[in-house]
Amino acid sequence: MMTKGNTPMRLSRYFLPVLKETPAEAQIASHRLMLRAGMIKQSSAGIYSWLPLGFKVLRKLENIVHQEQIRAGHNPMLMPTLQSADLWRESGRYDDYGEEMLRITDRHGRDLLYGPTNEELITDIFRSHVGSYKDLPLTLYHIQWKFRDEIRPRFGVMRGREFYMKDGYNFDLTREDALHAYNRHLVSYLRTYERMGLQAIPMRAESGPIGGDDTHEFLVLADTGESEVFYDSEITDLRFGDREIDYDDADQCRAVMEEFTSRYARTDDTHDEAVFHERVPEERRRQGRGIEVGQIFYFGTKYSEPMGATVQDRDGNTVPVHMGSHGIGVSRLVGAIIEASHDDRGIIWPEGVTPFHVGIVNLKSGDAEADAACESLYASLEALGLEPLYDDTDERAGAKFATMDLIGLPWRITVGPRGLKNGVVELTSRRSGESEELPPEQAIEKIAKIYESHRTGGVFG
Ligand code: ATP
Ligand code: MG
């Protein structure tokens, strides 16, 4: 069965502008590899075009984020990139936000801004339409481009000026309900990152301009990360795995939150050397670097109070709602995954996010038997709802392998006249480098089995 949105591809018809040379401006592996693999092209400082391969990965991540948010009971929607300055004057942040905010004036002289985040806009939507505790709890989210005029955009999509972010906002009657929403987000984020093949550790953090006291950042450990982190090594053994969770059950969500946040793990903003030493035995103390791929906040009535986002409670009193906001850096994640998973030949995509499930390399394009075998593999994989990338060009074998290694598909099937004489093709793992020869049907079966647990369906499927 074809799954909606699947796009198998022939390399001869694909736009994959791989670079032979290592671009001089790229300082870290993910930036280098994204440029070399033809995933992105810089358009101006911190602003990128997403070329087909990069766009495909971005969409896969977005798809996972949507699915996990919907699973947690959150409502997808879409807000615009441009926002009215007046809303930000109401919260007081128009002046506070500073130079990172890109301010724009339209032809009528009205002040607009390119949204760096959406607390004001969502609070305005909420106050226009919700007036009763009966409509709570409510969580709304979207995935939309953001703009922050970062003083030093760098590392490609890791610190862009324009970047793609999932941001979600919960509205609750009480602090207790809002903390349930906080925990629910924490759980859904753990699931999200694990599906992407990543370990992202929740660490106690500072809230910055979003505000509030309760906040955790999710960090992927990597030497090239911009955050300094301190943690108990035991935390790296934790996995959410495939356990079932009832997101409406506050106790269940709290238990997971406690499990994942009880051990010492902090960024340098909140790190306390004395507490670190007191709570963690020396042999488990770790200091390193991490990439922030998400953050969750509980900030109470910080926005609802000044902006009049109130509901009537059970006793008929008008009360401001308790809120939190929750962000995942979708475009940064593309870079973070590569930082966590590459070697000197290129990217190694985790199965859950790979742009194509398997590469097919035809060692002798033009050879009738090899061509027919490749076509048949391609059709069978497509029929199973998988997305092969078939290198049907007449490049040399060595160049074909180098491209496949660079773009990092986790599995490769190599087809050549010599193997076909014995009825076999070669199946190679990008990660381990191991190959085995087996009949084409068995190679397909194996690939199908590998991806069984990584089927995502359509965006909202
Ligand atoms: P940072 O400390 O890295 O500047 P932040 O804490 O200001 O990020 P948040 O407001 O928490 O960012 O945004 C949510 C997520 O969006 C972050 O966890 C990060 O993954 C992503 N993000 C933030 N700024 C950028 C950026 N300039 N480029 C790419 N992704 C970003
Ligand atoms: Mg943050």
Side-chain angles (χ1 to χ4, degrees), residues 50-77:
W50 291 76
L51 307 182
L53 190 74
F55 178 61
K56 206 155 190 291
V57 176
L58 190 67
R59 282 284 174 263
K60 297 242 165 169
L61 301 191
E62 181 180 9
N63 193 24
I64 291 174
V65 172
H66 270 305
Q67 287 180 352
E68 294 305 326
Q69 288 308 299
I70 291 166
R71 193 196 303 275
H74 305 157
N75 286 270
M77 61 178 295

Side-chain angles (χ1 to χ4, degrees), residues 166-318:
K166 171 263 167 183
D167 44 322
Y169 306 85
N170 67 283
F171 301 90
D172 288 278
L173 184 60
T174 62
R175 174 185 152 84
E176 197 191 350
D177 291 348
L179 290 176
H180 172 206
Y182 185 88
N183 298 339
R184 201 173 59 229
H185 278 88
L186 187 138
V187 178
S188 71
Y189 281 25
L190 291 172
R191 279 191 63 106
T192 301
Y193 299 124
E194 281 192 17
R195 278 186 63 184
M196 295 175 181
L198 279 178
Q199 178 170 43
I201 302 171
M203 299 201 182
R204 186 155 284 291
E206 286 272 358
S207 62
I210 308 277
D213 301 325
D214 282 287
T215 182
H216 281 91
E217 284 177 355
F218 289 78
L219 285 115
V220 173
L221 298 175
D223 295 339
T224 47
E226 291 187 283
S227 309
E228 195 172 13
V229 297
F230 302 83
Y231 59 97
D232 179 339
S233 65
E234 266 189 8
I235 206 162
T236 58
D237 299 332
L238 296 176
R239 297 286 180 281
F240 185 78
D242 54 9
R243 53 181 115 164
E244 291 291 328
I245 182 137
D246 175 359
Y247 279 108
D248 291 333
D249 185 330
D251 293 337
Q252 270 190 40
C253 294
R254 188 184 320 108
V256 176
M257 183 276 288
E258 280 167 1
E259 178 186 346
F260 280 82
T261 60
S262 60
R263 289 171 186 80
Y264 193 98
R266 298 191 190 178
T267 61
D268 52 357
D269 295 332
T270 55
H271 174 62
D272 182 326
E273 197 68 19
V275 179
F276 193 38
H277 281 244
E278 183 190 301
R279 286 186 36 199
V280 189
E282 189 176 355
E283 68 276 12
R284 297 211 314 255
R285 270 179 234 145
R286 297 285 184 282
Q287 180 177 352
R289 303 198 71 79
I291 303 166
E292 181 195 331
V293 292
Q295 187 164 10
I296 54 177
F297 302 87
Y298 163 69
F299 45 67
T301 59
K302 177 178 154 106
Y303 299 89
S304 56
E305 211 145 2
M307 294 185 68
T310 57
V311 292
Q312 298 241 301
D313 70 9
R314 285 180 189 84
D315 305 321
N317 303 316
T318 300

Side-chain angles (χ1 to χ4, degrees), residues 408-429:
L409 310 186
W411 297 93
R412 187 185 79 209
I413 302 178
T414 310
V415 180
R418 208 176 310 152
L420 288 175
K421 275 209 180 70
N422 302 320
V424 295
V425 295
E426 190 185 53
L427 180 63
T428 308
S429 156

Side-chain angles (χ1 to χ4, degrees), residues 7 14-15 34 37-41 49-63 145 164 330 334 349 353 355-356:
T7 48
Y14 201 43
F15 182 64
M34 286 182 77
M39 294 177 67
I40 51 169
K41 175 165 185 351
S49 295
W50 291 76
L51 307 182
L53 190 74
F55 178 61
K56 206 155 190 291
V57 176
L58 190 67
R59 282 284 174 263
K60 297 242 165 169
L61 301 191
E62 181 180 9
N63 193 24
W145 293 96
Y164 204 42
V330 181
V334 180
W349 292 114
V353 303
F356 295 96

